C-alpha cells in the first residue's frame, strides 16, 4: 500500500500570487546537496556531477554578467541612435548616430565637431535648408512626430505582448525576492519586450531613465538562465539568490558601478542575502561591467555617459550649500512620492487607467512640445546630466562654460573662478525652466504603461538645482571674495568652487530623497567620480536628504508602489514598534468559530474533502485529537488536494470512507473495511509555533528572518490559532492606520 | 504583596563568559524606545530627550571615528619613530624620525635624501664612525638590543596590566559580536596597554602588523564610548551594533579603505548587521579615515604607507601568473594555519605557555639577529611592502629599480621593460631569503603574548612572491618577446609587465588564503590602488586562493583560533549538512534522568532552592504540571536566584514553605499559610520551541538568525527536552569529527 514513496508531481510547488516557504525550500536544497555529496563517493561520474554542480553557480553568474552586459550595450547604442533620429539622419550611413556620423566625416574641425555635412536635420532633408522659421517648424514637427511614434510603439507592444514590461520593475522585484510568486514577470517575453520598449521609451524623450528597467532586464536574464541549471530551476529560494546577484549586475551596468551595484542589491532589493551571494553578485557585476566596457557604447572607455573626474578639493564651508541641496533633495523626494502615488491611485481607481495608450500619447506630446524649444530639455536626460556634472575645461564650448576671460589660466595651469558671461546667464534661465518641466512632468510619467526608470529624472532634477546653486556660489565667491566666509580660503584668481561638483551632490540628494538609498547611493556616486575625497559632500547631502524625506513620509518610492499594489512585502528595515501580542493577531479571533484542524487518525477522506471545499485556507494544522488540541504538524491545502486526487486515481480501493492517517503506523484494520490512506509524507512535522503571549515584534522578526509563510500559536501546549504572513502584513497596516485590506495577495 | 513591579537590580544582566539572548535584548531596546516615543508627546523636554536619543547613535559614531583615527595616527607616528630609533637618532631633535630629520636638514640633495649629518647611526654616536666592521657590529648590537628592550617592555606590560591586550583580537571580537560576554576584553586598560604595546611590538621588528590590533583598539574605543550613552551602555545587543561599526572604523584606518572596512565588518567580523548599522559603520569609517588623514602620519596625504597608483593596463595572458599567485597564496594560507594552530596548541598544552616573556625574547632575538644583515628584513614590514608594490619610476633609486638603461624612456614618456641590472639580481636573492624568514618566523610569532596582527606579514609574504614572479615575467617578456605567448601584445620596447602589480596580487592572494576574506579583501585592495581596472586580477587571485585554501582546510585563521580557544561561536557561513534531528541533540538524552522542570503553581521556595543547588543548568522550563508536561514558559537560573534572595530579604514572611506561583493570579490562600511568592514577571512567556522531529539544519538556522541561547523541544505539544547553544556547537563539532568537549563556555 505504501506507494507514496515517490514524490507526486505538483507537491511542493506554488500557485501564482502566493508566498513561498523559505524554510522548506532551503531544506529541499540541502537534501539535494546532501544526496549529491553522498553519491559523489560512489563513482567518478557522480564526482564530476558533484563538482559541476558546485561550479554551476559561478557559471550561471558568468552567463548573467555576459548577457546583461551585452543587452545594456545594445540598449545604450540603440537608444542613442534613435534619440538622434528625432533630429535628423546620417547620409553617410543611416545607422550612425549624430556623433558617430561626424566622427567619420573628414570635413569637421574640433570646434565644429557637432556639425558636419553628412548629418542632415529633417528640415535639410525635406526643405533643403536649416535656416529660418519654417525649417524650425519642420524640425519641431518631426521631433514631436517621432516622439509620438516611439511612444505609441512602446505602449502598444507592452499592452499587447507583455503587460509586465511596464514601469521600473524594482517594486515587483523586491516583492519577488522576498518570496512572492508572479509567474511571467521575469519571463522571456517580458525580457524581449522590455528591452525593445525601453529603447523606444527612452528615445521618445519622455522624462524617464533606463537604469531601473535595466535591473529588471538583468533579473529576467538571471531567471531565464536559471532554467538551464537543475539546481536553480527547481528551487525557489536558490533562484532568488541568483536574482539578487542579477540585480547587482543590472545596477553595475546602469551606472558602471560594480561595488555600488552589489551594495544596492544588498541594501535596497534583496531579502535573503547570504555571504556566498555577496561574492557571486560581485562576480556577476564585474563581468557585466567588463562586457559593457568592451562594447564601449559611448566611445569613451567608460560605462556611463556622465563619468567625471574632479581635481579641485572642496572646502569645509561648502558643506552649507551641500546640506541645502540635501534639504532640497529630501523635500523634492517626499513631494514627488506623495503626488506620484496620488496620481497612480487616481489612475488605478478611475476611468483614466483604461486608456493607457491615450495617456502615454498625451504625456509624450506635451513633453515633446514643451521640450523642443529649450536645448536642455531637447537633449537626452543623460547627456544633460553629463553636461551638468562636467567641470569646465579650456576647450569646452558649451554655454555653461561661457565665462569671461575664458582662456586665462592661473599660474598652476588651472582655471580660476571667473565672471559669468552672457551664455551662462541664458543657460541659467533655460535650466530653471527645465527644472520646472522635469519636476512636473516626471510625476505624471512614472507609472505609465511603458518601461520607465526614476534614477535619471531624479538625478537630472538634482543636478540642475545643484548646478544653479554652484554657479551662484561661484559668482558670489568671485565678486565677494573679501567676505568673511570666503576670504580665509578663496583668494582672488583661485579656483575655489566647482559647479559640476554641486550638480553631482544635488543629483545624489534627489536620488536619495526618492529612493532612500544610503550607502549604495554614495558608493555609486563615488565610483562615478573616482575620488574618495568627494565622499563627505555626497554623504552629507545624502544623509540630510534621507532625514528630511523620512520626516515627511517613511516610505521610499519603491515601498510606496509596493503598498499601492498590495503586494505582500514584509519590510526588513522598519522596526515593528507596537505592543501587541500574537493572540491579538492570530485567527480565529475571539468570537470566530474554532480553528479548522485535522486529526491525525480519525478523519475520513470525505471529512477532509468537506473541509477543503468549505474553507479557503492554504493549510491545516493536524492535531492528536480535537479534545486535546495537541499539535502534530501542518499540511498544505495544495499538497492535500493533489495527494487525495492521486490516491483516488491510482490506489485501489481508496473511497470516501477511507480513513486518513497522519501517524507513523496505522493500526491493523479489521477485514472488509476500506483501505486507509497514509499521508504522513506530506505532513510538515516541524511547524513553527509561538505562544499566544509572544510580542508581535518578535513574531514579525521571526517571519522576516526565517521567511515563514505561517506560524501556529499555542497556549500552554495546546493549539490555539494560526498567523499567516498576510495576517502579519494586515496587522502592520492596521497599526500604521492604513487600510488592512490593501494587502491583496497571499 | 505585589512589590515586584520594580525591576530587581541584576535581573536581566549576564555573567562573564556567558552568551546573551539577542531576542530578549532587542525586546528590551524596543520597550525603551517605545517608552521614550510615547513620553515625547507629553512635554518639550521629553521631545528633546527623544530627539537626542535618536541622534546619540550618530554622535557616538562621530566620537568613535575621531578617537580611533587619532589613536591610529599616534600609533603610526610613534611606531615609525621607534623603528628608526633602532638604527640611530636625530641630533636635530631626538623626536624626529629618520625621514623627518633629513627633511629639516639643509645639507641634503634629493639623491641623498636618506643621508644627512643630523641623522646619526649608533656607531657614529658611540665610536664616531659609520665605516668598517666594528661600526657594523656596534650597529648590529644596538639594533638587537633595542628590539629586545621593546619586546620585553611589550610583553611585560601585557602580562602585568592587561592580559587581554595580546594577539590580534579579531577572533575574540568575532565571538563577542556573536553574543558572548568577555568582561574587560574591550575595557580601558586593554585600550591603553594595547595601544602602547602595539607600538612597542611593531617597533621591535618582529614579523607582525598593527592592522588587526587596530580593529581591537577601535572596538575598545567603541565600547568605552558606549558608556556615555544610556541607550548603549545597558543593552548588550545595541552595544554590539556599535562594535560592528567600530570594527569597520578600525579597518578603515588600518588600510585607508573606508568602504573595504565596512565590508570587512560585514563579511568577516559581524554577526548581527542590520542596514542601519551599515550606514552608521560607513559614517564612522569615513570620520576615522579623515581624522587620520588630517594627522597625515606619513607626510604623503595618504592613509597608508603602501598606497600606489598603477598606470599600465594588464593583459589577459597575465591571468595565468596571477592564478599561480593565487594558488601559492592558498597553499601558504592553509599551511600557515595548520602549523600555527599546531604550535599554539603546543603552547597551550605544554610547559611552553608558562614562560611568555622568555618566548617573546627568544623569538625577538632570533628575528633581530637574522634580520639585520638583510636590508629587506631590517626595514619595517610596511616599508618593505610599499617598496614591493612600487612601480619603478625614473627617480627611484632603490635596488629593485636598478635596471640597465635606467633613464631611457619610450616615445610616450613611459618606462619600457628593460633588462635587469646587478642591483635587481642581488635584490632577488635577498628577497628570497626574506621570504623564507618571514614564512618561518611568522608561524611562531602569531599567538605570542604581545599584540600582533597577521595582515602585514601575510601581505609581505605574498608581495615578495609576487615581485619575484613579476620580475621573472618581465625579464622573460623582455628577452623572449617573440614567444607566441608574448608577441601578440608585447612588442619590444613596450612596458608590458608591472612587477608592482604582481606584488599587489600576491599580497591579496596570501591575505585571502589566511583570512578567507573575499569581497572585502578585493575592495580594500581596490581602494589601495584606486583603479577599477585591477579588480579582475585581484579577484582572480583571491578566488583561486580561497578555493585552494578551502580545499585543504575549511577554516580561516580566525575561526581556527576561535575553535582552539573553545569559544561558543556559531559560524554563519557554513551550512550544517547532516541529517540529524532535534531529538538527537536535545538534553536529556535517551537514558538520562528526566528533564528538570518547575511547575507553575505547586513548588515551594525550598523545592526550587534544592533544584538550583543540585543542578548547574542556566535555566528551567516551567510546565503546567509534571504529568501533562505542557509548557508555560522559561525562567533563567540567575533571575530565579536573585528574585528569591531578594524576596527573602525584603518581602515579609517569605519562608522555605512559601509556594512559588508563575501563574497570573494566585488562588486565595487559607489563613495562616505562609505568604506566596509570585514570580511571573521573571518568566519568559514566549520561549522558542521546536518539535522533536525538526531537522537540526533548521534548528541551527534558527539559533543563528534569531541569536537564541536555548530552545525547548516538544513532541505533540508536550515538553520533551532542551537544546542550548552549547549543545548545538558540541553537536556540530561532533559531526565534523572534532572533540565536542573543545567547546568550553556557555
Amino acid at each position: 500500500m505504501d506507494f507514496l514513496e515517490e514524490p507526486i508531481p505538483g507537491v511542493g510547488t506554488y500557485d501564482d500570487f502566493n508566498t513561498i516557504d523559505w524554510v522548506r525550500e532551503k531544506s529541499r536544497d540541502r537534501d539535494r546537496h546532501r544526496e549529491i555529496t553522498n553519491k559523489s563517493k560512489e563513482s567518478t561520474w557522480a564526482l564530476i556531477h558533484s563538482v559541476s554542480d558546485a561550479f554551476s553557480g559561478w557559471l550561471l553568474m558568468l552567463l548573467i554578467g555576459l548577457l546583461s552586459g551585452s543587452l545594456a550595450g545594445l540598449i545604450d547604442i540603440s537608444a542613442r541612435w534613435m534619440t538622434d533620429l528625432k533630429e535628423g539622419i546620417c547620409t553617410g550611413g543611416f545607422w550612425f548616430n549624430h556623433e558617430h556620423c561626424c566622427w567619420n566625416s573628414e570635413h569637421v574641425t574640433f570646434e565644429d565637431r557637432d556639425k558636419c555635412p553628412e548629418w542632415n536635420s529633417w528640415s535639410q532633408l525635406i526643405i533643403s535648408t536649416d535656416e529660418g522659421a519654417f525649417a524650425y517648424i519642420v524640425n519641431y514637427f518631426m521631433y514631436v512626430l517621432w516622439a509620438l511614434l516611439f511612444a505609441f510603439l512602446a505602449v502598444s507592444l507592452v499592452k499587447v505582448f507583455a503587460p509586465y514590461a511596464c514601469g521600473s520593475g524594482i517594486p515587483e522585484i523586491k516583492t519577488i525576492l522576498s518570496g512572492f510568486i508572479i509567474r511571467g514577470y521575469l519571463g522571456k517575453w517580458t525580457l524581449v519586450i522590455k528591452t525593445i520598449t525601453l529603447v523606444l521609451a527612452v528615445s521618445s524623450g519622455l522624462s524617464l531613465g533606463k537604469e531601473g528597467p535595466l535591473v529588471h532586464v538583468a533579473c529576467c536574464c538571471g531567471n531565464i538562465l536559471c532554467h538551464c541549471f537543475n539546481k536553480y530551476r527547481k528551487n525557489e529560494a536558490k533562484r532568488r539568490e541568483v536574482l539578487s546577484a542579477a540585480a547587482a549586475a543590472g545596477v553595475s551596468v546602469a551606472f558602471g558601478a560594480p561595488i555600488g551595484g552589489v551594495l544596492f542589491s544588498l541594501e535596497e532589493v534583496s531579502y535573503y542575502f547570504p555571504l556566498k551571494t555577496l561574492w557571486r553578485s560581485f562576480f556577476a557585476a564585474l563581468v557585466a561591467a567588463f562586457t559593457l566596457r568592451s562594447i564601449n557604447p559611448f566611445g569613451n572607455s567608460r560605462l556611463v555617459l556622465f563619468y567625471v573626474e574632479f581635481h579641485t578639493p572642496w572646502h569645509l564651508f561648502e558643506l552649507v550649500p551641500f546640506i541645502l541641496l540635501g534639504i532640497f533633495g529630501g523635500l523634492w523626494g517626499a513631494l514627488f512620492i506623495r503626488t506620484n502615488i496620488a496620481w497612480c491611485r487616481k489612475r488605478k481607481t478611475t476611468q483614466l487607467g483604461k486608456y493607457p495608450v491615450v495617456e502615454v500619447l498625451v504625456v509624450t506630446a506635451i513633453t515633446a512640445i514643451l521640450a523642443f524649444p529649450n536645448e536642455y530639455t531637447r537633449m537626452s536626460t543623460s547627456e544633460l546630466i553629463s553636461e551638468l556634472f562636467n567641470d569646465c575645461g579650456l576647450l569646452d564650448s558649451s554655454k555653461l562654460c561661457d565665462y569671461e576671460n575664458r582662456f586665462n589660466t592661473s599660474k598652476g595651469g588651472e582655471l580660476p573662478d571667473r565672471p559669468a558671461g552672457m551664455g551662462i546667464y541664458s543657460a541659467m534661465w533655460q535650466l530653471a525652466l527645465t527644472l520646472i518641466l522635469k519636476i512636473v512632468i516626471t510625476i505624471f510619467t512614472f507609472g505609465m504603461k511603458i518601461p520607465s526608470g526614476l534614477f535619471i529624472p531624479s538625478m537630472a532634477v538634482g543636478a540642475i538645482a545643484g548646478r544653479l546653486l554652484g554657479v551662484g556660489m561661484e559668482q558670489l565667491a568671485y565678486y565677494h571674495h573679501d567676505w568673511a566666509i570666503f576670504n580665509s580660503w578663496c583668494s582672488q584668481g583661485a579656483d575655489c568652487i566647482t559647479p559640476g561638483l554641486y550638480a553631482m551632490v544635488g543629483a545624489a540628494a534627489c536620488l536619495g530623497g526618492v529612493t532612500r538609498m544610503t550607502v549604495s547611493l554614495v558608493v555609486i556616486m563615488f565610483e562615478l567620480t573616482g575620488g574618495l575625497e568627494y565622499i563627505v559632500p555626497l554623504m552629507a547631502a545624502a544623509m540630510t536628504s534621507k532625514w528630511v524625506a523620512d520626516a515627511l513620509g517613511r516610505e521610499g518610492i519603491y515601498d510606496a508602489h509596493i503598498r499601492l499594489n498590495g503586494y505582500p512585502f514584509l519590510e526588513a528595515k522598519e522596526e515593528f514598534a507596537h505592543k501587541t501580542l500574537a493572540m491579538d493577531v492570530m485567527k480565529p479571533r475571539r468570537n470566530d468559530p474554532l480553528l479548522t484542524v485535522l486529526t491525525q487518525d480519525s478523519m475520513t477522506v470525505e471529512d477532509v474533502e468537506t473541509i477543503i471545499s468549505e474553507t479557503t485556507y492554504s493549510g491545516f494544522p493536524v492535531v492528536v485529537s480535537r479534545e486535546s488540541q495537541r499539535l502534530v504538524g501542518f499540511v498544505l491545502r495544495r499538497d492535500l488536494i493533489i495527494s487525495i486526487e492521486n490516491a483516488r486515481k491510482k490506489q485501489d480501493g481508496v473511497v470516501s470512507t477511507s480513513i486518513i492517517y497522519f501517524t507513523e503506523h496505522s493500526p491493523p484494520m479489521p477485514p472488509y473495511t476500506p483501505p486507509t490512506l497514509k499521508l504522513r509524507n506530506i505532513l510538515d512535522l516541524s511547524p513553527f509555533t509561538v505562544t499566544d503571549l509572544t510580542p508581535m515584534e518578535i513574531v514579525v522578526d521571526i517571519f522576516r528572518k526565517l521567511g515563514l509563510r505561517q506560524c501556529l500559536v499555542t497556549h500552554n501546549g495546546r493549539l490555539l490559532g494560526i498567523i499567516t504572513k498576510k495576517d502579519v502584513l494586515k496587522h502592520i497596516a492596521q497599526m500604521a492606520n492604513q487600510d488592512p485590506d490593501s494587502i491583496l495577495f497571499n
Side-chain angles (χ1 to χ4, degrees), chain A residues 499-663:
Chain A
L501 178 62
Y502 283 70
M504 175 154 257
V505 170
C510 281
L511 195 48
V514 173
T515 60
R516 311 292 160 85
M517 285 154 64
T518 55
V519 180
S520 45
L521 173 66
V522 175
V523 173
I524 286 173
M525 289 290 172
F526 159 64
E527 288 185 81
L528 281 180
T529 53
L532 209 58
E533 218 161 332
Y534 304 106
I535 285 194
V536 173
L538 289 169
M539 214 171 85
M543 223 146 77
T544 320
S545 153
K546 187 176 156 66
W547 282 337
V548 170
D550 274 354
L552 297 172
R554 297 294 294 170
E555 289 171 323
I557 185 77
Y558 301 128
D559 293 329
H561 273 267
I562 286 174
R563 195 156 56 72
L564 180 72
N565 290 321
Y567 296 131
F569 180 74
L570 196 52
E571 179 57 69
K573 284 175 217 163
E574 284 294 306
E575 295 267 324
F576 180 78
H578 303 280
K579 219 176 162 58
T580 44
L581 299 176
M583 57 191 298
D584 305 326
V585 179
M586 71 177 190
K587 299 269 174 61
R589 313 310 298 271
R590 206 151 290 171
N591 301 320
D592 286 353
L594 280 178
L595 183 68
T596 313
V597 293
L598 308 180
T599 56
Q600 65 173 353
D601 54 4
S602 60
M603 286 180 113
T604 62
V605 168
E606 196 179 6
D607 293 341
V608 172
E609 283 175 336
T610 316
I611 288 179
I612 290 174
S613 64
E614 280 173 1
T615 63
T616 56
Y617 306 130
S618 5
F620 306 95
V622 176
V623 294
V624 174
S625 65
R626 275 189 204 283
E627 298 71 43
S628 74
Q629 291 283 338
R630 290 193 287 123
L631 181 69
V632 176
F634 190 80
V635 64
L636 288 176
R637 178 197 188 83
R638 187 179 160 90
D639 293 354
L640 202 56
I641 294 175
I642 294 173
S643 299
I644 293 178
E645 249 175 38
N646 192 64
R648 279 205 191 248
K649 260 190 237 151
K650 293 199 190 151
Q651 194 181 354
D652 284 342
V654 167
V655 292
S656 300
T657 50
S658 297
I659 289 182
I660 293 180
Y661 278 93
F662 290 106
T663 50

Side-chain angles (χ1 to χ4, degrees), chain A residues 463-535:
Chain A
I464 297 171
R467 188 83 188 200
L468 291 175
L469 185 64
V471 173
M473 283 293 294
E474 187 188 37
Q475 296 307 312
L476 203 67
Y478 177 79
Y479 287 111
H480 302 284
H481 52 84
D482 48 345
W483 283 8
I485 48 169
F486 292 119
N487 66 7
S488 61
W489 54 277
C490 184
S491 59
Q492 194 169 14
D495 183 14
C496 309
I497 307 255
T498 313
L501 178 62
Y502 283 70
M504 175 154 257
V505 170
C510 281
L511 195 48
V514 173
T515 60
R516 311 292 160 85
M517 285 154 64
T518 55
V519 180
S520 45
L521 173 66
V522 175
V523 173
I524 286 173
M525 289 290 172
F526 159 64
E527 288 185 81
L528 281 180
T529 53
L532 209 58
E533 218 161 332
Y534 304 106
I535 285 194

